[in-house]
Amino acid sequence: MLIGVASYQHVTDLPQAILDDARDIAATLTSPNYCGYSPANVVTLLDSQATRTAVLKGLAELAVRAGTDDTACVFFSGHGAIVGAPGSEDSVLATVDTDLVDLEATSISSDEFARALAAIKAKRVLVFIDACHAGGAAISKTLSDGKRHKLKSGYAPTTFAKLASGSGRALMASCRANEVSAVFTGARNSVFTWPNDVSCGT
């Protein structure tokens, strides 16, 4: 399941490279030269498709489809936001309909995401999160709705441990909380998914 959100309804937009990241990984997964997955088993939710409801539904359907001997992969590229007081920070994934005025009903909390991943019974579950786009794109490290509501972008370190818990689970994040995930101006992909070897499909 691949999720990419660049054009948000209520918060700051991200570069279109985010959508290319998801599309290119989908192409790699379905390519007979690389992974060879059936296109029916690769679900991609981009921009307007990637609502909170649709993402949670997609994760639930993945849990039903994936058997114990399968490998499941979840990729998210978009905004993440750090919530909570210092010392007890947590994170949310910002879906296309995220509204900072009502985060609980319009984003996916780390607890919800962790439960959705735990429901996937595959022996191997890979999770990729590219949820703090800044640096080369010169994007502010805050998530803003232009109405004086702001949150710190990114993903809290404690959240990663929660999402990767369980046997056979691996999580790869584009950056630590004190780092940035770059999307260089004019680049087709973010640095996290940019091909670094011509023989590599991702």
Side-chain angles (χ1 to χ4, degrees), residues 158-182:
T158 52
T159 303
F160 292 129
K162 184 189 305 184
L163 298 179
S165 67
S167 176
R169 272 115 213 285
L171 183 140
M172 182 179 291
S174 59
C175 60
R176 295 186 179 94
N178 62 341
E179 298 174 331
V180 296
S181 180

Side-chain angles (χ1 to χ4, degrees), residues 124-157:
R124 296 165 298 275
V125 178
L126 308 175
V127 182
F128 299 90
I129 297 179
D130 195 359
C132 177
H133 300 281
I139 297 170
S140 169
K141 286 194 73 180
T142 58
L143 190 60
S144 171
D145 61 4
K147 302 173 185 174
R148 296 181 298 186
H149 300 107
K150 292 184 180 180
L151 290 174
K152 184 179 178 183
S153 291
Y155 233 60

Side-chain angles (χ1 to χ4, degrees), residues 81-112:
I82 297 176
V83 297
S88 59
E89 294 176 326
D90 204 355
S91 307
V92 298
L93 288 179
T95 53
V96 71
D97 51 343
T98 291
D99 188 335
L100 300 188
V101 177
D102 189 10
L103 270 181
E104 185 175 345
T106 63
S107 64
I108 298 176
S109 72
S110 64
D111 286 337
E112 289 176 301

Side-chain angles (χ1 to χ4, degrees), residues 2 15 17-18 24 30 33 38-39 55-56 73 75 77 106 111 114 120 126 128 135-136 141 158 162-163 170 175 190:
L2 311 171
I18 278 48
D24 291 349
T30 57
N33 296 324
S38 165
V55 170
L56 291 175
C73 173
F75 172 88
S77 187
T106 63
D111 286 337
I120 300 170
L126 308 175
F128 299 90
K141 286 194 73 180
T158 52
K162 184 189 305 184
L163 298 179
C175 60
S190 67

Side-chain angles (χ1 to χ4, degrees), residues 5 14 18-19 21 25 57 79 95 99-100 106 121 134 150 162 187 193:
V5 186
L14 290 170
I18 278 48
L19 304 182
D21 288 349
I25 291 174
K57 180 183 176 187
H79 276 304
T95 53
D99 188 335
L100 300 188
T106 63
K121 301 308 180 189
K150 292 184 180 180
K162 184 189 305 184
T193 52

Side-chain angles (χ1 to χ4, degrees), residues 68-82:
T68 54
D69 291 328
D70 292 332
T71 297
C73 173
V74 177
F75 172 88
F76 177 88
S77 187
H79 276 304
I82 297 176

